[in-house]
Amino acid sequence: MSPAGAPITSTPGPSSFPYKCDVSRITSSEAEITDKSDVYMSGIEEMKKSCRCPIVKESNSFINPFDLTIDVTEVEMTDDDVEDDDYEPSFNITLREGLDTTAATDDDEDDECISDEEIETTEVDFSQSPGCHRIKTNEEIQGFMNDQPFLIYYNQLLNLATANIQKTCSHKGCGLGVEIKKEVVASALYLKWICPDGHTLYRWCSQPILNRGVHIGDLMLTASTVLSGSNFQKISMFAKFLHLPILSKSTFYKMQRQYVVPSVDEHWINHQNAVLEEFRGVDLVVLGDGRMDSPGHSAQYCSYTFMEYTTKKILCIITLDKRFTEKKSTNLEKACFIKGLGFLIEKGMKIIEVVTDAHVQISSLMKKNYPDIKHSFDVWHGTKNLGKKIIKAGQEKKNKGLLDWTKDVVNHYWYTAQTCTTKEDFVGMWIGVLHHVVNVHSWILPYSSSNKCEHGPLTSAREKGWLEKDSPAHVSLRSIVLDKRLLNNIPYYLNCRSTAELENFQNLILMYASKRHSYTPPAYRCRNLLAALDHNGHIDREVMTNKDGSIRYQRVFQKKSSRWSVTTCKEPKQYSYVPEMMRKIILKRLDDAIGMNQKMVLEQDDPRRVSSHLAPIPPPPTQQIVHEQRSRFRTSVDMDKTIDYWVE
C-alpha cells in the first residue's frame, strides 16, 4: 500500500534517504513489469522473487535499519491446546531490493575474510647457532617444562649482553669465583653475580624500575589487563599455565585503583569535551539506551549511553549503583537517564529530540520535565514487539492462517512509520492492513487521505490464503492493530528513528565489562568508558579491499534463520589512544609521593558511602555464620535421617 515510485521521507525525520524504496517492496508476477518504480508496495503481500546474487551495501560500516525487511522464521507449531508463554519469535532481517549494491563474491574457501594474497613463509634454521637450542628428545622436553619464562624488556637484555662482568670477585683480597643467583620479585627477574664470601659483583634486573622500587612490568601488566578488557583471574590463570611470574592480586587492584582508573577518567573527560565542542550550537538528535550489568532482575549497576544520531559518536555514558535508588534495580535506568540528559543540557548541548525504547518511566519523565524536547521510540523495538503479539495469537488453534501474515503486517507497520508524517495519515494507512488481509483493497475513512491499497496488481497464483472477514484470526488481528496503547504510541514513531547502532555498542561493552564478573564501582565505570573510547576511536574504519580493488567480505551463518549472509571486513583496530593512556599511567606513578599503601579514600559519589553492602540486612560475623550453619551431609548419626543413609 505504498505510493508508486515515491521517495521515502519523514518530516521531521532522517535527514535524507539515498534511495527510493519502501520497507517491503513486493513485485507482481501477473505480468512482466519493466518499470521498477511502478511496483512499490507496502509489505502486505509476499510474492515470489527472481533468483539473483546476494547483495550487500558498500557505503557504510553497518547495515542501515531502514534498509531491512523483517521475516519470521522457526515458527514451531506444538499441540493444538499448548500455549508457550515464554516463546520468543526469530526475526529474519534482510536487505531490500533497489539499493546501490554490488554482488558478493562466492568462494569455496573457509577463510572468514577472503583475500587474494598468498602468504609464503620460509623456515629459517637457526639451530646451528651456539646461542640457539633445538629440542629433540623427551629429556629435553622435560628440561624445558622445568624452565621458566620471564617478562624481560629489550633494552635491559641489551645492557646485560654488553656488560663486562668478571668471572672472579674484584673485591680487595677476595679473588674467589663468582656464581650467578636468581631472584624473582613479582614479574621481574634479578640476576646477581655473588662470590662465596657474599660480595655482589653485578646486579641485573629484567625491567626498568620506577620510584620506590615498583617494576614497570607490573604496572604495564595491570594497565594492559584493564585497557584490553581482560581481568586478573584470566591473566593469572594464563600466567600459571605458562609458569610466568606476575604481580600479586592485591598489588594488581592497588595499581588499578591508584593509577589506571584515574588515568582513564582523565582521558575520557578530555575526549568527551572535544566531542561535545564539535556539536556545540548544533540541533542534536540523541539516542539513549540503558544496560544492566547482570542478566535477570539482580542487577547492581546500570550504564546509560547517549549517542549522536548522525555521526554515531558517544556523547555521554552514565553508570549508577542501585544503592543510589534504594537498592531497587528497576529504578536505575530512569535515574541514569535523568543524570545523563541533565549533564548534556548543562554542557550547553541543544537537544531537539531524544530516541529511546518504549520505557514507561522515561516516557512519563519526558512529558513532565522536558515538554520542549521531542521524544521518539525506536521503531525496531516497536515492530519486534508487534511481531511477538501476532505470533502469540497465531499459535492458537482458532487463528489458523494468521502466522502467514506476520511478516507482511510487521513490514507494513515499519513502512507506515517511515512514510507518514501525521497521526491521521498513520492511522489511515495502518488500519488498511485489516482490509487487505481479507482481499478488500479500498475503504472509507473520513479522517484519512489513505482509503485504498497502493500496491500494484496482485497475481492470481498465490500461495498465501486470504483471511475470512470477522473470522477468529481476523478478529485477533483486529484487536492487535486497533490496540489502544499501540494507537496512542503512534506519535512516537512518526520520525522513524532506530537505535540499532546503540544496540551494537551495548555488545561492545561486554568485551570490557562482562556480565559474569563483578566489579567495584570505579572499575565498572572505567570499563564502560573504555568501551566508549573504543567505539568513538574506530567508528570511521575503512573497509578492506583485495588486490584488485574489490571489497573484501566474510561469510556468516545465522543459526536462527538458517541462512548465510555476508558482511564487509574492516581494517583492524589501531587503538591509537592506548599509548597516551599508558604514558599517563606511568606519570601517575612517578608523581605519587605516598605510594600504593596509602589509606583508600572513597570518591564523593561512591555508592559504598551509602552502604557497604547490597544485602537488605547487615552481615553477621563470619564465625557466627559458621557456628550456626548446619550441613545435611555430616556423617554423624542423626535420628532424623532415613535408615538408608545411616553409616555402618
Side-chain angles (χ1 to χ4, degrees):
M1 293 181 292
S2 61
I8 306 305
T9 59
S10 178
T11 309
S15 57
S16 64
F17 291 90
Y19 47 83
K20 296 182 179 181
C21 183
D22 59 79
V23 175
S24 171
R25 183 184 140 201
I26 301 167
T27 60
S28 173
S29 61
E30 182 175 341
E32 183 177 355
I33 300 174
T34 57
D35 185 3
K36 294 184 179 180
S37 63
D38 293 336
V39 296
Y40 287 174
M41 299 183 182
S42 67
I44 302 302
E45 197 72 19
E46 181 182 1
M47 311 298 295
K48 294 182 180 179
K49 298 181 180 179
S50 61
C51 181
R52 64 183 63 201
C53 295
I55 56 175
V56 292
K57 190 173 181 179
E58 296 183 15
S59 60
N60 211 338
S61 61
F62 52 84
I63 296 178
N64 191 329
F66 299 109
D67 300 345
L68 305 177
T69 59
I70 302 179
D71 197 358
V72 182
T73 60
E74 296 185 355
V75 178
E76 198 172 301
M77 298 299 296
T78 57
D79 295 338
D80 293 338
D81 298 329
V82 176
E83 187 172 330
D84 188 0
D85 294 335
D86 297 330
Y87 174 80
E88 291 192 6
S90 172
F91 290 99
N92 176 22
I93 311 298
T94 58
L95 283 168
R96 292 177 295 175
E97 299 180 24
L99 304 181
D100 184 13
T101 57
T102 184
T105 304
D106 187 11
D107 298 303
D108 293 332
E109 289 112 355
D110 293 330
D111 297 335
E112 290 185 355
C113 291
I114 308 301
S115 175
D116 295 334
E117 300 179 3
E118 296 182 359
I119 302 174
E120 297 183 359
T121 58
T122 303
E123 184 177 351
V124 181
D125 187 6
F126 293 103
S127 61
Q128 303 301 325
S129 176
C132 299
H133 174 66
R134 169 175 286 185
I135 297 177
K136 300 178 180 179
T137 64
N138 188 49
E139 290 75 14
E140 290 177 331
I141 293 177
Q142 186 59 42
F144 164 76
M145 297 299 296
N146 295 330
D147 202 353
Q148 190 175 23
F150 289 93
L151 181 59
I152 300 176
Y153 282 80
Y154 171 74
N155 285 335
Q156 298 299 108
L157 193 61
L158 192 62
N159 292 337
L160 177 62
T162 57
N164 184 17
I165 306 174
Q166 300 180 7
K167 296 183 178 181
T168 57
C169 182
S170 59
H171 195 271
K172 185 177 180 180
C174 183
L176 297 176
V178 176
E179 297 180 353
I180 302 177
K181 293 188 177 181
K182 178 184 76 172
E183 181 182 359
V184 180
V185 180
S187 65
L189 169 66
Y190 281 88
L191 296 180
K192 300 178 182 179
W193 283 257
I194 303 176
C195 75
D197 288 345
H199 302 140
T200 302
L201 186 64
Y202 192 83
R203 184 171 180 162
W204 175 83
C205 181
S206 62
Q207 303 172 10
I209 302 174
L210 300 174
N211 50 335
R212 289 187 299 282
V214 171
H215 300 99
I216 199 168
D218 295 344
L219 187 59
M220 291 296 96
L221 273 173
T222 302
S224 299
T225 300
V226 177
L227 298 184
S228 64
S230 188
N231 55 69
F232 183 77
Q233 289 83 354
K234 290 184 178 180
I235 294 298
S236 61
M237 183 174 292
F238 166 82
K240 181 178 181 180
F241 293 167
L242 193 60
H243 302 292
L244 176 69
I246 61 171
L247 70 169
S248 66
K249 182 178 180 180
S250 61
T251 303
F252 173 87
Y253 286 113
K254 287 178 182 179
M255 288 183 171
Q256 175 183 262
R257 181 181 68 245
Q258 292 291 120
Y259 311 122
V260 179
V261 172
S263 299
V264 174
D265 287 340
E266 291 178 6
H267 191 89
W268 167 251
I269 291 174
N270 294 335
H271 172 79
Q272 184 183 42
N273 290 336
V275 172
L276 295 180
E277 193 63 32
E278 178 183 347
F279 297 105
R280 190 169 303 280
V282 179
D283 292 346
L284 291 181
V285 177
V286 296
L287 313 176
D289 191 30
R291 171 191 175 273
M292 299 300 174
D293 73 307
S294 61
H297 296 278
S298 59
Q300 177 182 353
Y301 302 109
C302 175
S303 59
Y304 203 93
T305 307
F306 287 91
M307 175 185 287
E308 200 276 323
Y309 181 74
T310 305
T311 63
K312 313 305 178 187
K313 288 187 177 181
I314 304 297
L315 302 177
C316 174
I317 183 166
I318 300 295
T319 59
L320 274 183
D321 189 289
K322 69 178 180 180
R323 281 173 280 198
F324 286 124
T325 57
E326 299 178 350
K327 298 183 180 180
K328 297 178 181 178
S329 58
T330 53
N331 298 336
L332 275 173
E333 188 165 349
K334 177 184 175 181
C336 288
F337 179 85
I338 294 174
K339 186 175 180 180
L341 187 59
F343 170 82
L344 293 177
I345 295 176
E346 183 181 344
K347 286 291 185 178
M349 297 294 102
K350 189 179 179 182
I351 300 175
I352 62 172
E353 184 179 356
V354 174
V355 184
T356 67
D357 55 10
H359 195 281
V360 177
Q361 294 176 330
I362 293 178
S363 178
S364 176
L365 175 72
M366 290 296 296
K367 287 181 180 178
K368 295 178 181 178
N369 296 1
Y370 304 98
D372 298 332
I373 300 178
K374 168 69 176 175
H375 186 208
S376 298
F377 287 163
D378 174 27
V379 67
W380 183 83
H381 279 96
T383 53
K384 183 183 73 169
N385 294 333
L386 175 64
K388 287 182 178 180
K389 292 179 181 179
I390 298 174
I391 288 178
K392 183 177 180 181
Q395 288 178 328
E396 297 181 8
K397 182 179 179 180
K398 62 179 182 179
N399 296 332
K400 184 178 180 181
L402 182 57
L403 283 175
D404 296 336
W405 288 93
T406 304
K407 168 191 173 182
D408 306 289
V409 176
V410 168
N411 284 346
H412 179 62
Y413 187 86
W414 194 310
Y415 167 77
T416 304
Q418 191 174 352
T419 56
C420 296
T421 58
T422 65
K423 182 178 180 180
E424 290 74 18
D425 291 341
F426 194 112
V427 173
M429 184 174 290
W430 170 234
I431 293 179
V433 72
L434 295 175
H435 301 279
H436 180 89
V437 296
V438 295
N439 200 18
V440 175
H441 306 289
S442 62
W443 55 89
I444 298 177
L445 287 177
Y447 53 83
S448 174
S449 59
S450 177
N451 293 319
K452 65 177 182 178
C453 294
E454 299 177 358
H455 54 70
L458 301 178
T459 178
S460 56
R462 305 177 67 258
E463 296 181 358
K464 185 191 307 176
W466 301 104
L467 298 182
E468 183 180 349
K469 186 177 180 180
D470 295 329
S471 64
H474 190 232
V475 172
S476 297
L477 179 61
R478 183 188 301 155
S479 64
I480 296 173
V481 171
L482 300 180
D483 179 71
K484 183 177 179 180
R485 183 176 180 183
L486 180 68
L487 297 179
N488 289 338
N489 286 340
I490 284 177
Y492 292 98
Y493 296 104
L494 291 177
N495 286 3
C496 199
R497 308 288 194 186
S498 173
T499 61
E501 297 81 10
L502 190 51
E503 296 290 340
N504 291 338
F505 170 70
Q506 305 288 27
N507 289 331
L508 179 62
I509 296 180
L510 291 174
M511 168 183 163
Y512 292 92
S514 169
K515 290 190 176 185
R516 299 300 177 184
H517 290 82
S518 60
Y519 306 95
T520 60
Y524 185 73
R525 180 189 69 241
C526 169
R527 289 174 176 268
N528 279 266
L529 297 182
L530 287 171
L533 289 169
D534 187 345
H535 174 86
N536 285 358
H538 302 106
I539 196 172
D540 296 323
R541 279 189 298 159
E542 296 292 334
V543 177
M544 297 179 69
T545 58
N546 297 315
K547 294 176 66 175
D548 60 358
S550 61
I551 294 178
R552 188 179 300 181
Y553 299 105
Q554 64 178 5
R555 295 170 294 189
V556 180
F557 182 73
Q558 307 293 340
K559 297 178 74 174
K560 281 192 173 183
S561 60
S562 298
R563 295 179 58 184
W564 283 94
S565 61
V566 292
T567 59
T568 55
C569 295
K570 297 297 188 62
E571 293 290 343
K573 292 183 177 182
Q574 300 299 320
Y575 299 98
S576 57
Y577 56 89
V578 170
E580 177 62 22
M581 279 198 289
M582 289 284 198
R583 189 182 68 85
K584 288 182 178 180
I585 292 169
I586 297 174
L587 287 175
K588 283 283 184 185
R589 172 61 195 185
L590 293 177
D591 296 338
D592 186 6
I594 301 176
M596 296 182 294
N597 293 324
Q598 57 185 295
K599 185 178 180 181
M600 183 181 69
V601 179
L602 298 178
E603 300 173 354
Q604 291 297 325
D605 58 348
D606 195 301
R608 289 171 291 185
R609 289 181 177 268
V610 179
S611 175
S612 60
H613 54 83
L614 296 173
I617 57 175
T622 304
Q623 291 301 321
Q624 178 182 340
I625 300 175
V626 172
H627 179 72
E628 295 175 352
Q629 184 170 311
R630 294 291 182 268
S631 173
R632 294 185 178 91
F633 301 100
R634 291 184 178 178
T635 57
S636 58
V637 176
D638 187 349
M639 298 304 298
D640 293 333
K641 285 185 177 180
T642 307
I643 187 100
D644 295 339
Y645 293 94
W646 280 17
V647 179
E648 296 293 339

